[in-house]
Amino acid sequence: MPHVEKGMAVGLFGGSFNPPHQGHALVAEIALRRLGLDQLWWMVTPGNPLKSHRELAPLADRIRLSETLAPGPRVKVTAFEKRLGQSYTAKTLERVQALNRGVHFVWIMGADNLGSFHKWQNWQKITCTFPIAVIDRPGSTLSYLSSRMAKTFDYARVDEEHAMSLPGRPAPAWTFIHGPRSPLSSTALRTGAALEKTILEK
């Protein structure tokens, strides 16, 4: 894990990043600015347990590409989940919390993941471990109204204008942050690359 000091505000931005793209970098930039973070950990996971690993690029490649996109020195690209030997977010956050007492962590997620968040293992435990910042993504702006997570934890929602206070709040606490949105998606990029390869092979 990257080095941190007590009292720091740190965002945890996890994903397969298969591949990483400018949309991910935009989420990181918005989180750093709107939450007043000292660091953001760009956590490249071994693989999403809810997704097929058939098209998953090697971890080393995803780390290398993420490092080229990381927006500034406050973003720390890391793959420590691989060393932990598991890829379930709830377990990861539990370990992060145990090893970094006194650090104010916030879980960062794109709004495109909010609709399926209730399918994550121990999703309610995740919500009650660290505050959560949901960053707007194309086609997902209204997900904070319809998702199971948003409905279940409606009482813990923090108004966007108070987003800067999120790192210092006890969980559960979450906010939805609007801002510039990138139309890029990893799925679309993989599909495009596969199509291009097929055309070239013909």
Side-chain angles (χ1 to χ4, degrees), residues 140-160:
S140 304
T141 302
L142 298 180
S143 59
Y144 71 98
L145 296 176
S146 59
S147 72
R148 185 172 172 184
M149 179 275 198
K151 291 179 178 179
T152 302
F153 289 94
D154 179 66
Y155 69 93
R157 185 181 171 199
V158 176
D159 193 278
E160 183 178 355

Side-chain angles (χ1 to χ4, degrees), residues 55-168:
E55 298 180 341
L56 190 64
L59 181 61
D61 291 348
R62 291 181 283 130
I63 292 172
R64 177 178 53 80
L65 291 171
S66 293
E67 288 174 338
T68 66
L69 288 169
R74 287 186 293 164
V75 177
K76 313 295 182 182
V77 177
T78 176
F80 66 82
E81 279 184 297
K82 175 68 173 178
R83 180 164 291 183
L84 293 179
Q86 55 82 33
S87 55
Y88 288 103
T89 300
K91 290 286 188 180
T92 296
L93 299 192
E94 185 178 78
R95 189 68 174 154
V96 168
Q97 186 179 53
L99 294 176
N100 299 278
R101 298 294 183 186
V103 177
H104 305 297
F105 288 103
V106 178
W107 177 250
I108 311 296
M109 62 189 294
D112 49 332
N113 286 316
L114 193 57
S116 60
F117 186 60
H118 63 280
K119 297 179 181 179
W120 295 21
Q121 186 183 72
N122 295 326
W123 66 277
Q124 293 185 334
K125 181 178 180 180
I126 295 171
T127 309
C128 293
T129 301
F130 295 136
I132 297 175
V134 182
I135 312 297
D136 200 4
R137 291 279 289 142
S140 304
T141 302
L142 298 180
S143 59
Y144 71 98
L145 296 176
S146 59
S147 72
R148 185 172 172 184
M149 179 275 198
K151 291 179 178 179
T152 302
F153 289 94
D154 179 66
Y155 69 93
R157 185 181 171 199
V158 176
D159 193 278
E160 183 178 355
E161 66 181 34
H162 300 302
M164 195 76 73
S165 71
L166 199 64

Side-chain angles (χ1 to χ4, degrees), residues 18-53:
N18 186 42
H21 51 71
Q22 287 296 337
H24 294 132
L26 183 58
V27 168
E29 289 175 0
I30 291 172
L32 282 166
R33 183 176 70 255
R34 297 290 301 277
L35 299 171
L37 301 176
D38 297 299
Q39 287 185 17
L40 182 140
W41 294 2
W42 183 305
M43 296 160 44
V44 185
T45 69
N48 188 329
L50 296 178
K51 296 180 180 179
S52 169
H53 291 191

